[in-house]
PDB file of all heavy atoms in Angstrom:
ATOM      1  N   LEU A 339     -73.728 -48.076 -24.075  1.00 96.00           N
ATOM      2  CA  LEU A 339     -75.057 -48.646 -23.837  1.00 96.00           C
ATOM      3  C   LEU A 339     -76.044 -48.137 -24.887  1.00 96.00           C
ATOM      4  O   LEU A 339     -76.897 -48.887 -25.379  1.00 96.00           O
ATOM      5  CB  LEU A 339     -75.541 -48.305 -22.422  1.00 96.00           C
ATOM      6  CG  LEU A 339     -74.795 -49.034 -21.299  1.00 96.00           C
ATOM      7  CD1 LEU A 339     -75.196 -48.493 -19.942  1.00 96.00           C
ATOM      8  CD2 LEU A 339     -75.024 -50.534 -21.374  1.00 96.00           C
ATOM      9  N   ALA A 340     -75.887 -46.859 -25.250  1.00 96.00           N
ATOM     10  CA  ALA A 340     -76.756 -46.295 -26.285  1.00 96.00           C
ATOM     11  C   ALA A 340     -76.494 -46.979 -27.625  1.00 96.00           C
ATOM     12  O   ALA A 340     -77.419 -47.262 -28.394  1.00 96.00           O
ATOM     13  CB  ALA A 340     -76.527 -44.795 -26.389  1.00 96.00           C
ATOM     14  N   VAL A 341     -75.220 -47.268 -27.902  1.00 96.00           N
ATOM     15  CA  VAL A 341     -74.881 -47.953 -29.158  1.00 96.00           C
ATOM     16  C   VAL A 341     -75.493 -49.362 -29.162  1.00 96.00           C
ATOM     17  O   VAL A 341     -76.071 -49.805 -30.165  1.00 96.00           O
ATOM     18  CB  VAL A 341     -73.338 -48.020 -29.344  1.00 96.00           C
ATOM     19  CG1 VAL A 341     -72.968 -48.950 -30.481  1.00 96.00           C
ATOM     20  CG2 VAL A 341     -72.775 -46.633 -29.603  1.00 96.00           C
ATOM     21  N   LEU A 342     -75.404 -50.048 -28.020  1.00 96.00           N
ATOM     22  CA  LEU A 342     -75.959 -51.406 -27.933  1.00 96.00           C
ATOM     23  C   LEU A 342     -77.472 -51.398 -28.145  1.00 96.00           C
ATOM     24  O   LEU A 342     -78.027 -52.292 -28.768  1.00 96.00           O
ATOM     25  CB  LEU A 342     -75.630 -52.031 -26.564  1.00 96.00           C
ATOM     26  CG  LEU A 342     -74.178 -52.444 -26.351  1.00 96.00           C
ATOM     27  CD1 LEU A 342     -73.946 -52.869 -24.910  1.00 96.00           C
ATOM     28  CD2 LEU A 342     -73.781 -53.566 -27.307  1.00 96.00           C
ATOM     29  N   GLU A 343     -78.096 -50.345 -27.649  1.00 95.00           N
ATOM     30  CA  GLU A 343     -79.545 -50.234 -27.768  1.00 95.00           C
ATOM     31  C   GLU A 343     -79.950 -49.916 -29.207  1.00 95.00           C
ATOM     32  O   GLU A 343     -80.760 -50.591 -29.807  1.00 95.00           O
ATOM     33  CB  GLU A 343     -80.042 -49.137 -26.800  1.00 95.00           C
ATOM     34  CG  GLU A 343     -81.489 -48.770 -26.948  1.00 95.00           C
ATOM     35  CD  GLU A 343     -82.307 -49.076 -25.688  1.00 95.00           C
ATOM     36  OE1 GLU A 343     -81.705 -49.180 -24.606  1.00 95.00           O
ATOM     37  OE2 GLU A 343     -83.524 -49.213 -25.819  1.00 95.00           O
ATOM     38  N   LYS A 344     -79.319 -48.871 -29.742  1.00 95.00           N
ATOM     39  CA  LYS A 344     -79.744 -48.326 -31.035  1.00 95.00           C
ATOM     40  C   LYS A 344     -79.219 -49.152 -32.219  1.00 95.00           C
ATOM     41  O   LYS A 344     -79.921 -49.352 -33.191  1.00 95.00           O
ATOM     42  CB  LYS A 344     -79.228 -46.877 -31.123  1.00 95.00           C
ATOM     43  CG  LYS A 344     -79.652 -46.117 -32.320  1.00 95.00           C
ATOM     44  CD  LYS A 344     -80.701 -45.092 -31.986  1.00 95.00           C
ATOM     45  CE  LYS A 344     -81.209 -44.472 -33.278  1.00 95.00           C
ATOM     46  NZ  LYS A 344     -82.265 -43.531 -33.057  1.00 95.00           N
ATOM     47  N   ARG A 345     -77.974 -49.600 -32.150  1.00 94.00           N
ATOM     48  CA  ARG A 345     -77.381 -50.285 -33.310  1.00 94.00           C
ATOM     49  C   ARG A 345     -77.506 -51.796 -33.249  1.00 94.00           C
ATOM     50  O   ARG A 345     -77.359 -52.464 -34.241  1.00 94.00           O
ATOM     51  CB  ARG A 345     -75.890 -49.938 -33.432  1.00 94.00           C
ATOM     52  CG  ARG A 345     -75.576 -48.469 -33.422  1.00 94.00           C
ATOM     53  CD  ARG A 345     -75.980 -47.809 -34.712  1.00 94.00           C
ATOM     54  NE  ARG A 345     -75.724 -46.379 -34.641  1.00 94.00           N
ATOM     55  CZ  ARG A 345     -76.359 -45.484 -35.379  1.00 94.00           C
ATOM     56  NH1 ARG A 345     -77.268 -45.852 -36.238  1.00 94.00           N
ATOM     57  NH2 ARG A 345     -76.083 -44.206 -35.262  1.00 94.00           N
ATOM     58  N   CYS A 346     -77.671 -52.340 -32.046  1.00 94.00           N
ATOM     59  CA  CYS A 346     -77.688 -53.796 -31.950  1.00 94.00           C
ATOM     60  C   CYS A 346     -79.013 -54.338 -31.451  1.00 94.00           C
ATOM     61  O   CYS A 346     -79.186 -55.542 -31.320  1.00 94.00           O
ATOM     62  CB  CYS A 346     -76.559 -54.290 -31.049  1.00 94.00           C
ATOM     63  SG  CYS A 346     -74.973 -53.564 -31.414  1.00 94.00           S
ATOM     64  N   GLY A 347     -79.924 -53.429 -31.086  1.00 93.00           N
ATOM     65  CA  GLY A 347     -81.261 -53.856 -30.718  1.00 93.00           C
ATOM     66  C   GLY A 347     -81.426 -54.467 -29.335  1.00 93.00           C
ATOM     67  O   GLY A 347     -82.415 -55.149 -29.094  1.00 93.00           O
TER      68      GLY A 347
END
Side-chain angles (χ1 to χ4, degrees):
L339 289 172
V341 169
L342 287 172
E343 172 117 22
K344 185 106 187 177
R345 308 287 177 204
C346 312

